[in-house]
């Protein structure tokens, strides 16, 4: 992959940086700034080189139109604090504000553009529509640096199309993440255990098929559990469920049996009356979730089971919290898995915006893990051996 050094002298050049600043927010309060901190070294490096740095990023999944709750303004403020320098904020991406803000930058200055996904062209499946938006982005810069590892699996305008329009390079974060993940794909030390959870179930179920060829054991928690439980014939009440994936999941269970890969499911679940911290909740057997309840965490017995299945691991990859860790009553399963990783001698990689945030907000020391990746879906797809469009484009 081309690197920033390949871009030559950047003094006075406008450099568009695609970062992954998709951080968890509570209103306008950033609850974990890990992804912003991870983006700082590349931005600082470009400032030091005298570039005029134009940062673009997405937040959440708005549908191609502005929504206040997904504004990057609080993120731009936090970036300014971390850089110890003013950061200009454009209230649109490629409109008047974007153009004016970029035109006003001096060498070493930084601007953040408003959420890329407020523009339908960013995520469009239509090449021409995406290309037209990428043209507008490219007009704002002389070079492009791809540093948002968490989005390199997305074929989106700011990830792929803009790189085809400008001299481009991989940022330090992308290079570092790829280096670590390679360790998990090329002959990982065994037993190799994968822990999967979180809520982007349909995005992530597919990874299991490929992992059945590399992992020795897969522990399933979080919102992913219920599609498995239902596939085994159990009722899951009002829990998160991907009804159309039931046959696929049955196929995974059969294939795991044939290949000798152990799939570990929770034995108990914390089932609540509502998705709220003060909702009535009880620990119930995983095969007896009441019809009016939803499972929001793995139970204490499952926490112990998962810890025991992690104790002898030599390599662990973990993506997706075990429960709704943001709400204290449903944070214990995630805490149990994090503690098991801290206690084990395994080389552990934690991937995903929320998974990494969970580890930090639950008070664990980042240094106790082998690597905390900024990529969730991106890390998973890398491990699956898929071609990541945002990486491929940087090769040429
Ligand atoms: N049982 C559950 N029901 C509903 N939501 C759940 C459940 N368990 C976990 N979650 C939610 O999953 C979310 C995180 O899932 P997600 O798949 O986005 O993981 P991630 O680590 O952020 O990965 P990525 O970076 O790919 O987004 C958390 O906000 C958590 O509250
Ligand atoms: O949170 C993530 O994994 C990245 O920021 C990508 O977000 P997306 O899944 O909405 O594309």
């Amino acid at each position: 992959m081309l690197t920033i050094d390949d871009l030559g002298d950047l003094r006075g050049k406008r450099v568009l940086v695609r970062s992954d600043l998709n951080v968890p927010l509570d209103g306008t309060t950033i609850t974990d700034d890990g992804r912003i901190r991870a983006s700082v070294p590349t931005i600082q490096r470009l400032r030091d080189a005298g570039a005029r740095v134009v940062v673009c990023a997405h937040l959440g999944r708005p549908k191609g139109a502005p929504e206040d709750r997904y504004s990057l303004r609080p993120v731009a403020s936090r970036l300014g604090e971390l850089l110890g320098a003013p950061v200009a904020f454009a209230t649109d991406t490629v409109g008047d504000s974007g153009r004016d803000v970029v035109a006003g930058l001096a060498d070493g200055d930084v601007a953040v553009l408003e959420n890329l996904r407020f523009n339908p062209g960013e995520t469009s499946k239509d090449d021409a529509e995406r290309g037209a938006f990428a043209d507008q982005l490219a007009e704002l810069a002389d070079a492009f640096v791809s540093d948002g590892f968490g989005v390199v699996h997305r074929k989106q305008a700011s990830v792929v199309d803009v790189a085809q329009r400008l001299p481009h390079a991989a940022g330090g974060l992308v290079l570092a993440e790829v280096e670590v993940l390679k360790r998990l794909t090329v002959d990982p030390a065994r037993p190799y255990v994968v822990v999967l959870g979180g809520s982007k179930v349909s995005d992530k179920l597919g990874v299991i098929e490929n992992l059945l060829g590399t992992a020795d054991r897969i522990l399933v928690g979080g919102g992913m559990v219920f599609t498995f439980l239902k596939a085994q014939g159990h009722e899951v009440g009002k829990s998160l469920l991907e009804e159309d994936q039931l046959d696929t999941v049955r196929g995974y269970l059969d294939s795991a049996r044939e290949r000798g890969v152990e799939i570990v499911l929770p034995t108990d679940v914390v089932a609540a009356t509502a998705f709220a911290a003060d909702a009535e909740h009880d620990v119930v057997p995983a095969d007896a979730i009441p019809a009016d309840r939803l499972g929001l965490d793995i139970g204490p017995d499952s926490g112990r089971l998962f810890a025991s299945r992690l104790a002898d691991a030599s390599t662990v990859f973990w993506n997706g919290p075990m429960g709704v860790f943001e709400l204290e009553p449903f944070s214990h399963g995630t805490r149990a898995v994090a503690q098991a990783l801290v206690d084990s001698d395994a080389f552990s990689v934690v991937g995903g915006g929320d998974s990494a945030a969970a580890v930090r907000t639950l008070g664990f020391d980042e240094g106790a893990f082998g690597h905390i990746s900024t990529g969730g879906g991106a890390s998973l797809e890398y491990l699956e051996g898929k071609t990541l469009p945002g990486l491929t484009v940087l090769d040429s």
Side-chain angles (χ1 to χ4, degrees):
M1 274 188 285
L2 298 166
T3 69
I4 292 176
D5 287 334
D6 296 313
L7 293 175
D9 183 9
L10 291 174
R11 185 156 299 279
K13 297 261 177 67
R14 299 166 304 160
V15 179
L16 182 71
V17 182
R18 177 43 158 119
S19 301
D20 182 0
L21 304 178
N22 191 22
V23 290
L25 285 175
D26 184 2
T28 55
T29 305
I30 296 163
T31 52
D32 180 72
D33 65 0
R35 278 181 166 160
I36 312 179
R37 283 189 287 116
S39 304
V40 163
T42 294
I43 294 170
Q44 187 57 47
R45 175 165 174 203
L46 293 168
R47 293 186 68 211
D48 293 342
R52 302 170 181 202
V53 188
V54 183
V55 180
C56 64
H58 75 282
L59 185 70
R61 292 179 168 176
K63 301 267 174 293
E67 272 184 73
D68 281 351
R69 66 192 169 124
Y70 292 127
S71 173
L72 279 171
R73 192 185 280 279
V75 173
S77 305
R78 181 74 189 120
L79 178 62
E81 287 165 14
L82 291 167
L83 288 169
V87 166
F89 181 68
T91 54
D92 59 26
T93 318
V94 292
D96 290 344
S97 177
R99 281 192 298 270
D100 289 350
V101 163
V102 174
L105 293 177
D107 297 0
D109 281 356
V110 180
V112 172
L113 305 177
E114 184 53 289
N115 195 336
L116 288 155
R117 293 185 182 172
F118 288 174
N119 306 273
E122 168 65 2
T123 54
S124 175
K125 297 275 175 271
D126 178 66
D127 290 351
E129 190 182 11
R130 240 183 20 256
F133 180 57
D135 284 341
Q136 290 177 293
L137 278 172
E139 273 169 30
L140 296 175
D142 306 300
F144 172 67
V145 171
S146 174
D147 206 39
F149 179 72
V151 283
V152 291
H153 59 318
R154 302 287 182 220
K155 190 179 171 193
Q156 295 178 350
S158 68
V159 181
V160 174
D161 306 72
V162 79
Q164 294 163 337
R165 287 162 170 76
L166 288 171
H168 54 261
L173 180 60
V174 163
L175 293 171
E177 294 268 20
V178 168
E179 203 49 46
V180 171
L181 289 175
K182 256 192 207 149
R183 276 182 71 175
L184 302 195
T185 46
V186 184
D187 201 16
R190 295 183 181 280
Y192 174 24
V193 184
V194 175
V195 189
L196 288 178
S199 58
K200 292 181 185 169
V201 181
S202 52
D203 273 20
K204 295 178 181 177
L205 267 177
V207 74
I208 293 176
E209 182 158 19
N210 294 59
L211 287 174
L212 290 173
T214 46
D216 299 303
R217 204 176 286 152
I218 303 175
L219 317 188
V220 182
M224 206 155 281
V225 161
F226 309 100
T227 308
F228 278 82
L229 292 174
K230 182 89 179 180
Q232 291 182 324
H234 306 307
E235 279 317 313
V236 296
K238 296 189 289 174
S239 311
L240 200 63
L241 177 67
E242 297 282 338
E243 197 91 48
D244 57 348
Q245 300 287 324
L246 290 173
D247 283 340
T248 312
V249 165
R250 280 184 202 109
Y252 294 155
L253 291 168
D254 290 343
S255 169
R257 247 188 315 274
E258 282 159 22
R259 291 166 174 236
V261 177
E262 190 188 358
I263 294 201
V264 183
L265 294 173
T267 47
D268 57 354
V269 163
V270 183
T273 49
F275 196 108
D278 58 359
E280 203 182 303
H281 57 274
D282 299 289
V283 175
V284 300
D287 58 5
I289 301 174
D292 60 345
R293 297 271 177 131
L294 66 166
L296 294 182
D297 195 10
I298 61 170
D301 201 53
S302 312
R304 283 187 289 273
L305 171 68
F306 282 20
S308 74
R309 306 314 287 136
L310 285 164
D312 66 343
S314 292
T315 309
V316 178
F317 177 77
W318 174 21
N319 172 266
M322 295 295 97
V324 183
F325 72 94
E326 299 91 333
L327 308 178
E328 202 281 330
F330 314 114
S331 64
H332 302 283
T334 303
R335 188 183 289 282
V337 165
Q339 188 62 52
L341 293 191
V342 169
D343 294 343
S344 93
D345 297 327
F347 173 66
S348 55
V349 177
V350 182
D354 287 301
S355 315
V359 161
R360 286 186 288 257
T361 54
L362 294 177
F364 290 91
D365 175 8
E366 285 182 51
F369 302 87
H371 176 69
I372 307 236
S373 172
T374 54
S379 320
L380 282 176
E381 291 198 18
Y382 187 93
L383 294 188
E384 277 183 76
K386 279 194 179 165
T387 305
L388 306 189
L391 293 182
T392 312
V393 76
L394 302 177
D395 283 334
S396 52

